[in-house]
Amino acid sequence: MIIYLIGFMGSGKSYLAKELAELTHSSFVDLDQVIIAHEGVSISSIFENHGEQYFRNLESDLLRSITQDVYKRELIKGQTEQSMTMYTFVACGGGTPCFNENMDWMNEHGLTVWVNPSSEVLVERLEKEKSQRPLIAALDLEGLKQFIQVKLNEREAYYSKAKVTIHNTHIPVEEIFKSIIHA
Ligand code: S3P
């Protein structure tokens, strides 16, 4: 079963996906890292050299190919091992659900989880980590706050299609896992 973690930049998708994978002895894939490995350069360089549209198409293609790979692996495993339950946690990029019908596509192929901490938490984290993120790297604190407000508003229509929403990421990962699985 594939569990897609979606949510704004800085929401903690990758950290949580890793924790959940460790807890359940499952696999973890970070879509941004897959893109970086595929292109051999940073996300900022991809935006700079090819523009956002190129990045979005690549992101959608690789999202689909990760999913196909997991499906293939499950099929092979199903033939060799008797029904062992395993998960694959995919940490998406902040914009992944908002382009190329990706949100509907993820809902058709797995379980979607929106990691949705408060905007104050996002501001605090992104202020420290913005340099690697081309969409916010040049913003000062006020600009960052405004960007988060506007983009969150815009993206909520996509994020809210998730089957599960997690507001508090500071609770034990076991609790988070339970709330995902019992959804
Ligand atoms: C983006 C989020 C980033 C990365 C790219 C674009 C976005 O991922 O995919 O910089 O549009 O919100 P993270 O959410 O992992 O930072």
Side-chain angles (χ1 to χ4, degrees), residues 9 13 32 43 55-56 59 92-95 133-135 155:
M9 287 179 265
K13 303 172 294 272
D32 280 345
I43 303 251
F55 173 81
R56 295 304 173 192
E59 181 178 47
C92 297
R133 292 174 163 104
L135 295 174
R155 290 181 170 182

